[in-house]
Amino acid sequence: MAALLKWLMLIMGIACAAIGAYHLVLGIDSIPGETTAGATVDSRERFYNAIFLGFGLAWVWAARQSPIPAWAVRWLAGIFLLGGLGRLLSLVVHGTPHWFQVPLTVLELVLPPVFFWLATADERAQNRTSASTR
């Protein structure tokens, strides 16, 4: 379970950082189904994605700790879940988005409970190892 947690966190971090960098560089042109926006919307898109890039780097940082701190996993997963809830709110207020946003919403709602479940895996594994060497 500890290895699964580490690999899922690394994949999550690399994916978020890559997506953030992609959107940061391309701005509004990176959004499926959107063709025009003013400078304000493009600026906001690039700003938020710089933060998303940092969010991905935080996942990678946490995955490289020993043991992986459960509090960090829970915080990062909680933030990701908030993003999914934000998409649901948008769906209720504005209707169905571009089709690509739907599977992203599903991932943002399904993955956090997996991370919440695995959050303490590395700490428990390290505790078992240290207890068996005493």
Side-chain angles (χ1 to χ4, degrees):
M1 293 298 217
L4 176 61
L5 174 63
K6 182 178 192 104
W7 282 107
L8 282 176
M9 289 180 71
L10 286 171
I11 291 166
M12 175 73 114
I14 292 166
C16 290
I19 291 165
Y22 173 76
H23 288 275
L24 174 64
V25 170
L26 294 179
I28 198 69
D29 292 334
S30 65
I31 303 191
E34 296 300 317
T35 55
T36 61
T40 301
V41 174
D42 186 73
S43 173
R44 185 189 65 205
E45 174 69 13
R46 292 174 196 267
F47 173 80
Y48 287 150
N49 278 288
I51 293 171
F52 197 59
L53 189 157
F55 178 68
L57 296 176
W59 276 102
V60 172
W61 170 85
R64 295 182 48 138
Q65 302 307 300
S66 183
I68 296 170
W71 66 265
V73 177
R74 289 185 186 113
W75 269 98
L76 291 166
I79 292 166
F80 199 63
L81 178 61
L82 271 175
L85 294 174
R87 286 192 201 264
L88 282 180
L89 179 60
S90 179
L91 187 118
V92 169
V93 173
H94 295 286
T96 307
H98 185 274
W99 71 266
F100 189 70
Q101 304 299 312
V102 176
L104 293 176
T105 304
V106 172
L107 279 173
E108 291 157 357
L109 298 174
V110 170
L111 281 177
V114 172
F115 281 112
F116 293 144
W117 175 60
L118 291 171
T120 59
D122 199 36
E123 289 177 350
R124 284 184 310 211
Q126 194 155 42
N127 287 340
R128 279 192 301 269
T129 303
S130 63
S132 68
T133 58
R134 287 187 221 172

